[in-house]
Each structure stands twice: as C-alpha cells, then as structure tokens.
Amino acid sequence: MLSRGTLFLLLSSVILVSCTDKSRQPVGMFDSGTGGLTVLEAFLTLDEFNNTNGERGADGLPDFANEEFVFLADQVNMPYGIYNSMGKGDVLKQLVVNDARFLTERQINSKILVIACNTATANALSEVEDYLKTEHEGTRVIGVINAAVEELLSSVNTDSPSAVGVLATEGTIASGGYERTINDMFAKRGDYKPIVVSQAGSGFAESVDLEPDYTDLTAVAPRDNYRGPTLGEGDGYINISLMDAYKFDTAGNALLTSIEEGKILNIQLNSPGNYARYHLVSLLEKFRNMDSGAKIENIILGCTHYPYLVDTMKNMVNELRDLKRGDSYPYRDLLSQNVNFIDPSRYVAIETYIALREASLLNKSKRAASLRTFISIPNPSLSAESLDPRGGFTFDFKYGRGLVGLKDTYVYRELSREFIPEESLERIKNRLPATYVLMKFVNTK
C-alpha cells in the first residue's frame, strides 16, 4: 500500500501535468541573422483583431500583447543565400533544421515556429515540417513566402498587364520559390498572373548585418577580401554607364573607389544603402530588357533584412521616375505611379495569430509580452584559423563545411552586446523600437 506522502506526490504530479497550459509556451522565431527582427516587430505592433472575441478589426491593443517570444539569429552561419551556389544545399537544410530543433526542444518548447527567413522557407520548409511531424507532432511551422504572395494577390491589378519585382537572396531566387508560389496561387484564384522579374541581392543582406566580406566600416580603399558587386558589364556587375541611376552615396567610406587620371578603375559598395541602390537599378534594367509593355506595380522584399532600407528604395523610385537622359526618361514607363513595396512581415503575423486562435493557443494571461534573444557564435574550441578578424567564420571555413561535424562548429548563446556590432544595435533601436525595448542582454564578462 502506498504511503499517504507518496500518494500526495503522485496526485500532485497528475495535477501539475493536467494544468500544463501549452498556450503559455513561447512563439519561436528564427532567421539567418538579425533581419528577422523586422518580422518580430510586425508581431509586436500588430493590431488587426479584437483581443476579446478574436474577430477581425483593430481594438487599440497589440494582438500579441501577452505572448512570450524567443528569437534566434543564426548569425555565425549567415548568409544562408550562398550555400546552394557553393554546392552546400544539404548543409543549408541541416542548419535550418538545427534552428528549428533548438527552438522546440524542452528548454524552450515553442508552441508554434515562425521561419522569419525567405531563403530558409524556400529551401527547407518541408524538412522542418518533417522534423516537427517526427519529433513534435501538432507543432505548426509558418514561413514567409506564402504571406508575401497573399498580399500580392490583394494588391495586383488583374484587369491589365502588370509586373511584380522580387528582391531576394541568391538562394531564394535560385530556388524559384517566389515565382512558383505566385504562379500557383494566382492560378488557383483564376486571376491574370503578373509578370515576375527577380533580382538576386548579392551582398545586400550581408551588408545589413555588416559581414566584413561585403561591408567593412573601417575600410578606406578597395580591398582584396571584398565579395560584393564589382565594376563590369552584365548581370552582377556595376555598370559605369548607370552611375546616374545608382546615385550612390559617396559620403565617408560608403563607396570605395580607385581612380587614375580621372578614370574609375574599381568600385566597391560599402554600405547597406548602396547595396539597395545597386540592386533596385539592376532589377529595373532586367525588366527593361524584357520589353513587356507592363509597369511594375509591386516589389516584394523577399528577404527580412531588406525592410531596413525600404525608405531608401521608396525615394529611389521617385528619383528614377524623374531621371532624364537627353530627351527621354528611361525608367518612367517601367514604374507604376504608385509602386507598392510588400514586406511579408505583417502577413506572417496575421497568419500566425489566426493559427494560434484556431488552435486555442493564444496566451490569455495578463502578463506583458516578453522576449528572449539567442544568437549563434563559433564554438569556442575552434582554432583561430577558422575565424575572421571580427570573430566570425572565415568565408572558406563557413562554406567548406560538410554535414559531418557541422553542429560542433557553432553554439547558441543568449544575446550579449559582445556578439553584435554596435551599429546593428543602433539600427534596431531606430527602426524596430518595440523589439528593442524588449531586448535583454546577458553579461558574459
């Protein structure tokens, strides 16, 4: 016969298990870097629903006001967009599954998973779904691509030919994820499909996260380890004849050049704004060569890092529309009078809210929203030869790894100021105030 004390402990355990409330578990979210914080900001500021009855309609209160968020920036393994071009697609998929595993294992135990990364969604969504089915049956994952196309469906003019630009990483563009999803979703609705023109944003996301191979704030002249666009002709090069369109920022060291006898011999982009300028002009030049007769009405920001520069791109649209060469306006007939930039973040937040509400997993407690932020760093046991001057992986080490031993090359740590450049924190503070207020930093000193 069980003693009275033992019986009490057993009953207590049963009661504890029965009272476990999955709705109070966190919303897990990850990206290849800090760009995904733009998605988190959309969650924290969303007011599309009535918090009392869950019906559509703002009520002046944030829809996720009581949720706990856990955000993972896989900073040391970014950019994800290059792995496929380096023949490392299997490594990319495993990195993404590792992120999902970290956010769903027992220590964090996310109730829903949000992939705040277009490249990860395009290349490894099915792998994450398979992992969840095997290890965490019933936990749903939400990606960003469908959310962007849903917004496009509501924004595109279906009465006449129109075009949509897609700015995304090399990995996302190479996957065909956006064009395929646009074709499928418009076909299901039976609407006229817009013309799609895509631009792979080499170096754009990397520059936002200040990856030294793409942007080095200490550089004062062109450098040997630069991997961004260089001077030349054709796709992927900076065309000297388009300098009036790029209108690069030349202040400080935002643009690195070498000039001899008045002739530009070399150009290197060295600021996120200049990467944005280069890729938007490149997108329009591709569209011009298509000679479609349509106008670009929408541009999808197919990388969560890009919304940081949306103001720059909006201003550029007006500049380019008014740019005159001789007697002609080369870009005026390519651009709609009102070009809409689609940031998928808000629509990911809406989709997540609906999914949680339908599963009765919205947190109904009265506690305020909270945030824990994690970041990946090199495994401290690695040799110095594997690291660049900033303490991240060298390019060759990062993209030379295979599946064997991959997880041993890096670790996840709670965010500390030593793990993120001060310039990045300042950008987050200015552009993502709701997120920055909730960010906490552990002291590792």
Side-chain angles (χ1 to χ4, degrees):
M1 179 179 291
L2 294 174
S3 69
R4 192 173 289 183
T6 302
L7 183 60
F8 175 79
L9 288 174
L10 287 173
L11 288 173
S12 298
S13 299
V14 172
I15 292 171
L16 180 62
V17 171
S18 66
C19 290
T20 299
D21 186 355
K22 188 175 181 180
S23 70
R24 297 198 178 198
Q25 294 169 201
V27 174
M29 186 181 300
F30 70 89
D31 184 24
S32 61
T34 59
L37 291 173
T38 61
V39 179
L40 179 59
E41 183 79 2
F43 275 66
L44 294 173
T45 58
L46 188 73
D47 182 16
E48 289 285 326
F49 300 90
N50 184 296
N51 286 20
T52 302
N53 56 30
E55 294 180 0
R56 201 66 177 256
D59 62 358
L61 298 172
D63 295 327
F64 293 95
N66 307 121
E67 298 293 344
E68 176 187 351
F69 292 92
V70 178
F71 183 89
L72 168 62
D74 191 10
Q75 186 76 22
V76 77
N77 293 310
M78 76 90 65
Y80 281 176
I82 296 179
Y83 284 94
N84 282 330
S85 64
M86 299 297 291
K88 298 291 183 176
D90 56 345
V91 172
L92 169 61
K93 293 178 189 295
Q94 189 59 56
L95 290 172
V96 174
V97 172
N98 288 348
D99 294 340
R101 186 183 305 277
F102 174 76
L103 290 171
T104 52
E105 61 189 6
R106 183 173 298 176
Q107 293 92 323
I108 295 176
N109 200 20
S110 301
K111 63 184 175 184
I112 195 167
L113 203 57
V114 179
I115 304 180
C117 175
N118 288 266
T119 302
T121 300
N123 289 277
L125 179 62
S126 61
E127 282 74 14
V128 172
E129 289 174 334
D130 289 344
Y131 158 71
L132 292 176
K133 286 177 184 176
T134 303
E135 304 289 339
H136 299 278
E137 183 66 39
T139 300
R140 182 171 171 181
V141 59
I142 292 180
V144 291
I145 291 180
N146 279 34
V149 179
E150 286 284 0
E151 162 62 358
L152 180 65
L153 280 166
S154 65
S155 302
V156 76
N157 181 358
T158 58
D159 298 326
S160 59
S162 68
V164 56
V166 178
L167 283 170
T169 68
E170 295 166 288
T172 299
I173 297 300
S175 75
Y178 266 103
E179 189 156 8
R180 184 170 57 251
T181 304
I182 290 170
N183 289 339
D184 291 347
M185 293 180 72
F186 274 82
K188 286 179 182 177
R189 207 172 76 166
D191 284 336
Y192 180 89
K193 182 182 76 68
I195 297 163
V196 180
V197 55
S198 300
Q199 171 65 20
S202 172
F204 192 169
E206 297 89 326
S207 181
V208 171
D209 268 331
L210 299 179
E211 283 293 301
D213 288 334
Y214 299 89
T215 293
D216 182 351
L217 299 181
T218 67
V220 295
R223 51 207 175 86
D224 293 337
N225 65 329
Y226 173 76
R227 296 183 182 275
T230 56
L231 200 60
E233 294 185 6
D235 188 28
Y237 291 93
I238 300 171
N239 191 326
I240 198 71
S241 68
L242 298 176
M243 293 299 284
D244 61 338
Y246 298 135
K247 206 174 178 180
F248 289 130
D249 176 11
T250 58
N253 60 351
L255 191 71
L256 306 176
T257 60
S258 60
I259 302 174
E260 287 186 11
E261 298 179 354
K263 182 179 180 181
I264 298 176
L265 302 181
N266 193 2
I267 296 177
Q268 293 181 359
L269 309 180
N270 202 44
S271 72
N274 279 341
Y275 276 92
R277 288 184 167 277
Y278 167 75
H279 286 299
L280 184 56
V281 171
S282 299
L283 176 78
L284 292 178
E285 286 296 317
K286 280 185 180 179
F287 185 53
R288 180 211 301 283
N289 292 331
M290 293 171 69
D291 195 24
S292 66
K295 292 188 176 185
I296 291 180
E297 295 182 352
N298 296 276
I299 296 177
I300 295 175
L301 300 179
C303 173
T304 53
H305 289 69
Y306 297 176
Y308 284 112
L309 279 301
V310 68
D311 291 342
T312 296
M313 289 184 276
K314 286 179 177 178
N315 290 335
M316 278 191 71
V317 166
N318 295 326
E319 293 172 5
L320 293 169
R321 191 183 288 114
D322 294 335
L323 177 64
K324 190 175 183 180
R325 292 183 186 142
D327 296 327
S328 67
Y329 294 86
Y331 298 104
R332 185 163 288 182
D333 290 339
L334 305 179
L335 295 163
S336 169
Q337 189 58 39
N338 295 297
V339 176
N340 177 41
F341 284 86
I342 296 176
D343 175 0
S345 302
R346 175 170 166 266
Y347 302 92
V348 175
I350 289 172
E351 184 179 352
T352 303
Y353 179 91
I354 292 172
L356 290 174
R357 186 188 65 199
E358 290 178 345
S360 299
L361 288 178
L362 285 170
N363 193 332
K364 299 297 185 181
S365 71
K366 298 300 181 182
R367 68 182 182 185
S370 63
L371 169 65
R372 293 179 69 194
T373 309
F374 291 84
I375 193 166
S376 62
I377 63 171
N379 190 320
S381 66
L382 287 178
S383 65
E385 290 76 17
S386 305
L387 307 179
D388 64 25
R390 279 181 52 195
F393 293 145
T394 64
F395 188 92
D396 290 340
F397 179 80
K398 183 185 300 185
Y399 298 105
R401 295 172 297 169
L403 291 177
V404 177
L406 176 67
K407 190 62 182 73
D408 295 329
T409 63
Y410 65 101
V411 294
Y412 299 122
R413 292 289 183 264
E414 201 146 4
L415 187 63
S416 166
R417 289 185 182 275
E418 71 174 291
F419 298 149
I420 185 169
E422 194 61 38
E423 295 86 356
S424 295
L425 283 178
E426 190 65 21
R427 184 189 68 237
I428 294 167
K429 180 180 179 180
N430 292 334
R431 296 302 303 268
L432 311 175
T435 298
Y436 187 81
V437 165
L438 294 183
M439 291 179 76
K440 297 180 178 63
F441 304 92
V442 299
N443 186 359
T444 60
K445 301 297 186 181

